[in-house]
Amino acid sequence: SFTISLRTVDNITVMIQLRPSVSPSCQIRVKNVIRSELKIKPGENVTFTFTCSTPEKYFVMEIQKNIDCVSGPCPFGDVNLYPLGLPRLNRTFIWDVKASTKAGLELKFSTPWLRQIEPGETCPDFVSYNINSCIDMATVNIGTFCRNGSVSRVKLLGGVVMSLHLPWDSPLTTSGFNIANRASIKRLCIIESILKGESSVTLMSPNYPLGFPEDELMTWQFVVPSNMRASVFFHNYSLSNCERKEERVEYYLPGSFSNPEVFKLSDSQPANIAGSFNLSLQGCDQDAQNPGILRLLFQVIVQHPQVDENVTHLVDLSKEWNMTVTIHFEGWPSHIPLMSQPICLICKDPRTCDRVLTLVSGAVYKISFLCKDLSRLRITAEKGISCVDLRWCQRKIYSLSVPKAITQLPIQLHKFIWKLLAPDLINIEITSPSLKLQQHVPEQRCNTSYSYGIVSATPETELNVGVFCPGGSIEKIQMRNNITISLKTFGKGFLNESNQQDLKMSFVPHIKDECTFTLSPDPKAKVYLQTPNWPYGLPPYVSISWYVIVPSKQVGRLEFSKDRMGIACETGRAYVNIKEEALGAEETVRREDELLPKPRNMYHNFWVNVSNCKPVDKTQLTLQFWVTFADKQIDLGLILAVVAGAGVLTAIGLTVCCVKKKKKKSQNPMVGVYNANVNTQVPGKQGLFTKGRKNNESHVYAVIDDAMVYGHLLKESNGSVTPEVDVYRPFDGPIGSLPPSPPPLSFRKDIKCSSNTEELPTLTDTDHDTYTFAHQKSGQSEDNEDMNEKNNGDTNMSLLENKEQDGLV
């Protein structure tokens, strides 16, 4: 059983009642009377028991002491938890002190002092204090506090209602505060906070989050060691609708010659304050019809002076245009660090500091940092480039590099964003002439210190072109619509590589595809490419092209990662087109319902185009392909065929020579006239000729066999010893500077190559000139006429064929 005996002079009332929303499974028994609540008044002595063994689950207790400081003396001094011997229930001690508004009351807390919390927040040990100020008939909630903080004293005008909430198992036996009488403070309240060492305190205006009383004044006093630095940050505030006066905050700062310094709540608050200071909140006369709410939640952070607090960094943005630079803490803006975490401040001047500082182009700044660890800070910058008239901006090349004003700061660049705006019929071209770009794909990941994310956007759609980094094969990207390029850094390596940036952009006329890539790979490279918007698929009706430049003396092998596109079209058709830039090259086209081309060799520059339809639900067009480059290999079969052909021609030549010698024995010696204008030098490489082919006689035969040319005249003269004599006339028709090469075998109309058959290497004419023998065969004159029409004076015909067509023989 429990016995509570209350003295009349103590003016204490004890109330035991059921907890809200708890079933009455436990009762109170007083002299065999069962009841659900018990009230013990001053001067009463009551003995009672509970009908259950765990009454703390069902009952709460309230102990209220009334203190009248208006009609009699106040019992100032330490406040005790009385009466003793109370049952172990969740209990609340309430001290209701009535006092005149002409006097002030002071609540002084013993260490470890108090910490203010927001409404609804609970204390770790479930021990909390609540302070209410009573002025006339109005009650103002000064705040709710936990133990272990920096709030050491609260001074109030008029009466006060102080509450202490203890859990049933709390070992606390003292109230932790005392009450003292003070002179009038002429304001609602004064809250004192003692900050030792590096620390922070979060405080709220009375009645928070409800409104601060109309036209009231209150003060926070901060006791800070003179060798420390304090900074004030307003995290949440709102203003009321004032009819008279203006809501403001006033500071009394150490060393200031203009105290009090007045700030609006929307201003950046003072920082880097050396020593103790006061902060006051002043309300106004509110509009009776629409008063609004004045409230404030703020934080004061105390730090050691930084070693380089007097070191300033010059940020010259005077020559920049349409650019902003934001210096912020890591994770901003999605992640807000806890107020208890160490803070880094960026200062525009000694008193204007904040966790986030934004600089704009066209100005010069001198900034400093109040931060022990600068690695926790980041820079995010944004620059806009636009073109209205193509005639003005088409010839201009813009450099997409990070300005030195940013890279010279001791802060890591997190992201630099270029927003490129182009009107209709004007497109954007991005180039990387020297470094070139590599597309980040699973098979070929970027491992550089930075990368570019490129997004093409319209008001209706957004196309994520991809992520790219330097050191690849992409030399140029042309895109329609507005473009956003985001340079993102990884680690500290970007500071060393920032001087090598070569990304540039320009505005170009309209292009037909949404995006066109131009690739200039290095020899023996392997390039992986994939469609934009990976892995979510190309938007409907979007067309993307890749133009691949095959290196000299190299062959590229094109392969797709899968054998089908993997989509079904609801409207339209999806296509993959492959076209090699060679004379007579056929275009390979595949629809979405066909197999993609098998791996093939590409001997010339080529195009790959992917055009999307409107796919049915749950199907997306995503394609990945790669091109591998290697040296061209000489075909052994072709070499053997050439050697065999040369052998056959040699055998035929020897046979003809033998026949000629037999004929010459029975005939007169051959007759010919020497032509002094003939160049008898053996043809060689183009670079060995001192004249062009049109100006020399390298195509003229120097010796003519009379038996072949004039044989029929000898027969008509019946073997006369004085045959007619003729002079050989050089050919003076149109002649090219280089002898043309025959078209590659794969491009001849009479040869049909399978799409899966590898093409033979193209024969070039750079090493040897091509000449033909003049041995006419039966049935060849018609072919010669067709050849003459096709070649239009080509010099790969023999001299005798030209003469025969001219009717000279």
Side-chain angles (χ1 to χ4, degrees):
S1 64
F2 301 93
T3 300
I4 298 178
S5 180
L6 301 177
R7 298 182 303 178
T8 304
V9 296
D10 292 333
N11 203 13
I12 294 175
T13 302
V14 176
M15 184 73 179
I16 302 174
Q17 55 189 354
L18 286 171
R19 298 175 63 179
S21 305
V22 173
S23 61
S25 302
C26 188
Q27 300 289 326
I28 303 172
R29 180 183 288 114
V30 181
K31 296 180 180 180
N32 296 323
V33 177
I34 301 299
R35 58 181 67 183
S36 60
E37 65 180 25
L38 176 62
K39 184 175 183 180
I40 305 173
K41 298 179 181 179
E44 293 182 347
N45 189 338
V46 178
T47 299
F48 60 94
T49 60
F50 296 100
T51 61
C52 62
S53 60
T54 55
E56 67 274 6
K57 294 181 179 180
Y58 303 95
F59 292 95
V60 294
M61 184 166 51
E62 184 179 284
I63 304 99
Q64 179 171 331
K65 180 178 177 64
N66 296 319
I67 302 174
D68 186 0
C69 293
V70 176
S71 58
C74 288
F76 297 119
D78 292 338
V79 176
N80 299 314
L81 297 182
Y82 183 82
L84 302 176
L86 296 175
R88 290 168 60 85
L89 302 177
N90 290 348
R91 54 203 180 275
T92 302
F93 291 89
I94 301 174
W95 295 270
D96 186 351
V97 182
K98 291 180 171 56
S100 170
T101 56
K102 296 180 181 179
L105 292 175
E106 178 183 282
L107 305 178
K108 186 175 182 180
F109 300 95
S110 57
T111 54
W113 300 325
L114 302 183
R115 173 177 61 88
Q116 189 173 8
I117 61 173
E118 295 186 49
E121 188 178 350
T122 58
C123 299
D125 58 359
F126 300 102
V127 176
S128 63
Y129 296 84
N130 185 263
I131 304 174
N132 288 273
S133 176
C134 299
I135 301 177
D136 297 328
M137 299 300 295
T139 300
V140 178
N141 181 15
I142 302 300
T144 302
F145 300 82
C146 300
R147 296 195 299 169
N148 297 317
S150 63
V151 176
S152 58
R153 289 189 296 178
V154 176
K155 302 175 184 178
L156 302 116
L157 182 66
V160 61
V161 177
M162 178 73 179
S163 302
L164 170 60
H165 303 276
L166 297 176
W168 68 272
D169 57 349
S170 173
L172 198 64
T173 58
T174 60
S175 65
F177 70 96
N178 63 48
I179 300 177
N181 187 12
R182 290 290 181 266
S184 176
I185 57 175
K186 298 181 180 180
R187 61 198 65 204
L188 176 63
C189 65
I190 298 174
I191 298 176
E192 181 186 78
S193 178
I194 300 177
L195 298 165
K196 294 182 177 180
E198 287 199 333
S199 57
S200 69
V201 57
T202 300
L203 297 165
M204 286 145 271
S205 58
N207 282 344
Y208 187 90
L210 301 179
F212 184 69
E214 181 179 6
D215 196 24
E216 276 290 355
L217 171 67
M218 73 158 294
T219 298
W220 290 273
Q221 293 179 339
F222 297 97
V223 180
V224 180
S226 59
N227 62 338
M228 304 295 288
R229 300 293 180 266
S231 302
V232 181
F233 301 95
F234 286 2
H235 293 297
N236 188 14
Y237 69 88
S238 64
L239 303 175
S240 58
N241 298 315
C242 298
E243 281 190 346
R244 290 187 306 153
K245 301 182 183 178
E246 185 179 6
E247 295 166 336
R248 64 191 184 274
V249 288
E250 298 178 354
Y251 289 88
Y252 278 83
L253 302 173
S256 174
F257 298 102
S258 57
N259 283 326
E261 295 191 13
V262 180
F263 291 79
K264 295 181 180 179
L265 275 73
S266 57
D267 292 338
S268 293
Q269 303 303 310
N272 203 24
I273 304 170
S276 301
F277 67 99
N278 291 353
L279 165 60
S280 298
L281 175 64
Q282 174 67 64
C284 67
D285 291 335
Q286 299 174 350
D287 184 350
Q289 301 298 324
N290 184 19
I293 292 177
L294 170 61
R295 60 186 172 191
L296 172 64
L297 183 149
F298 68 99
Q299 183 183 23
V300 176
I301 297 175
V302 176
Q303 297 171 289
H304 284 290
Q306 305 304 310
V307 175
D308 58 348
E309 68 173 330
N310 295 322
V311 176
T312 59
H313 301 270
L314 185 69
V315 183
D316 187 357
L317 303 180
S318 59
K319 296 182 180 179
E320 299 294 338
W321 181 77
N322 199 17
M323 185 173 78
T324 60
V325 179
T326 302
I327 306 174
H328 55 86
F329 51 86
E330 189 175 9
W332 176 87
S334 58
H335 170 70
I336 304 297
L338 298 175
M339 287 188 243
S340 58
Q341 291 180 339
I343 192 170
C344 281
L345 300 179
I346 309 103
C347 304
K348 284 195 297 185
D349 56 61
R351 287 282 177 82
T352 307
C353 304
D354 208 338
R355 285 183 169 181
V356 178
L357 178 65
T358 299
L359 312 176
V360 298
S361 54
V364 179
Y365 300 88
K366 291 182 179 180
I367 65 173
S368 60
F369 302 99
L370 289 177
C371 183
K372 278 189 174 181
D373 185 8
L374 291 179
S375 65
R376 294 164 49 208
L377 293 177
R378 296 290 184 270
I379 297 176
T380 296
E382 182 175 307
K383 183 179 179 66
I385 302 175
S386 60
C387 176
V388 178
D389 189 348
L390 186 61
R391 293 173 298 178
W392 178 82
C393 54
Q394 183 176 7
R395 298 179 181 179
K396 190 171 182 180
I397 298 177
Y398 301 85
S399 174
L400 302 185
S401 58
V402 181
K404 290 184 178 180
I406 296 177
T407 58
Q408 70 183 4
L409 290 173
I411 308 297
Q412 179 179 335
L413 175 67
H414 171 62
K415 188 180 290 186
F416 197 108
I417 302 171
W418 290 274
K419 290 191 174 182
L420 314 178
L421 306 179
D424 294 339
L425 303 180
I426 298 179
N427 298 140
I428 292 170
E429 178 178 283
I430 300 170
T431 59
S432 180
S434 58
L435 295 179
K436 295 189 255 188
L437 298 177
Q438 169 193 319
Q439 187 172 14
H440 178 80
V441 298
E443 292 78 9
Q444 201 169 50
R445 297 180 179 273
C446 291
N447 57 1
T448 54
S449 64
Y450 64 99
S451 67
Y452 299 99
I454 302 177
V455 176
S456 171
T458 64
E460 297 81 18
T461 61
E462 183 176 278
L463 180 66
N464 184 4
V465 179
V467 176
F468 304 84
C469 57
S473 302
I474 301 174
E475 197 172 67
K476 179 170 62 178
I477 306 176
Q478 291 181 320
M479 290 167 286
R480 292 162 58 178
N481 311 320
N482 297 329
I483 307 299
T484 298
I485 302 177
S486 301
L487 182 151
K488 189 173 182 180
T489 64
F490 307 96
K492 300 179 180 179
F494 176 74
L495 295 176
N496 299 325
E497 299 180 10
S498 60
N499 294 329
Q500 302 174 4
Q501 301 173 80
D502 75 332
L503 199 66
K504 304 181 185 303
M505 67 81 58
S506 58
F507 294 98
V508 296
H510 187 71
I511 60 174
K512 66 175 184 177
D513 295 324
E514 272 72 15
C515 186
T516 300
F517 298 85
T518 300
L519 288 83
S520 178
D522 295 330
K524 297 184 179 180
K526 187 172 186 178
V527 182
Y528 288 88
L529 299 165
Q530 64 188 20
T531 50
N533 240 35
W534 186 278
Y536 306 106
L538 283 178
Y541 310 118
V542 166
S543 177
I544 308 294
S545 291
W546 293 264
Y547 178 62
V548 183
I549 300 174
V550 179
S552 176
K553 298 180 181 180
Q554 295 269 308
V555 59
R557 187 168 182 82
L558 172 64
E559 298 183 53
F560 289 89
S561 63
K562 54 186 180 181
D563 56 0
R564 290 184 179 273
M565 296 189 206
I567 65 167
C569 291
E570 179 182 317
T571 306
R573 289 284 196 178
Y575 292 95
V576 171
N577 299 57
I578 303 173
K579 179 65 181 294
E580 196 169 6
E581 281 196 342
L583 182 63
E586 295 183 359
E587 184 174 3
T588 301
V589 182
R590 295 290 187 272
R591 293 196 313 250
E592 81 281 354
D593 57 350
E594 297 176 326
L595 289 173
L596 291 172
K598 292 184 178 179
R600 60 177 56 199
N601 288 351
M602 314 299 284
Y603 294 89
H604 305 84
N605 302 343
F606 63 94
W607 287 89
V608 176
N609 174 268
V610 177
S611 302
N612 198 12
C613 60
K614 182 182 179 182
V616 299
D617 293 340
K618 298 182 180 180
T619 60
Q620 300 294 340
L621 177 55
T622 58
L623 276 183
Q624 188 183 74
F625 61 94
W626 57 87
V627 184
T628 306
F629 295 92
D631 293 332
K632 288 182 180 178
Q633 301 296 326
I634 300 176
D635 193 331
L636 183 59
L638 181 62
I639 295 176
L640 294 176
V642 171
V643 172
V648 171
L649 291 176
T650 302
I652 294 173
L654 291 174
T655 304
V656 171
C657 289
C658 292
V659 172
K660 286 182 181 180
K661 287 182 179 181
K662 290 182 179 180
K663 286 185 178 182
K664 289 178 182 180
K665 290 180 180 180
S666 59
Q667 295 177 355
N668 292 329
M670 64 179 179
V671 179
V673 178
Y674 175 72
N675 185 355
N677 293 325
V678 174
N679 184 353
T680 60
Q681 183 178 358
V682 178
K685 291 188 176 181
Q686 169 70 14
L688 301 177
F689 286 93
T690 58
K691 298 181 181 180
R693 185 166 171 81
K694 292 181 180 180
N695 300 325
N696 64 34
E697 293 82 24
S698 61
H699 59 286
V700 180
Y701 291 95
V703 178
I704 301 175
D705 189 340
D706 60 321
M708 295 294 292
V709 181
Y710 304 107
H712 63 290
L713 298 177
L714 294 174
K715 290 181 181 179
E716 291 176 1
S717 63
N718 296 322
S720 173
V721 295
T722 309
E724 295 183 31
V725 177
D726 198 359
V727 177
Y728 171 71
R729 302 175 183 176
F731 178 70
D732 57 357
I735 301 173
S737 61
L738 284 175
S741 301
L745 297 177
S746 58
F747 297 145
R748 294 183 181 175
K749 293 183 178 180
D750 57 343
I751 298 179
K752 296 182 179 179
C753 296
S754 171
S755 62
N756 298 326
T757 304
E758 297 183 3
E759 298 176 356
L760 295 175
T762 303
L763 298 177
T764 61
D765 55 2
T766 57
D767 294 330
H768 303 284
D769 290 336
T770 304
Y771 292 85
T772 57
F773 290 98
H775 301 294
Q776 182 173 353
K777 299 181 181 179
S778 62
Q780 195 175 5
S781 60
E782 293 180 4
D783 294 339
N784 288 338
E785 292 175 3
D786 294 340
M787 184 66 72
N788 190 41
E789 292 175 2
K790 293 179 181 179
N791 292 332
N792 191 21
D794 199 342
T795 58
N796 62 358
M797 284 193 197
S798 67
L799 176 66
L800 294 181
E801 288 171 333
N802 280 328
K803 278 201 168 189
E804 186 178 37
Q805 293 170 11
D806 293 340
L808 298 176
V809 179

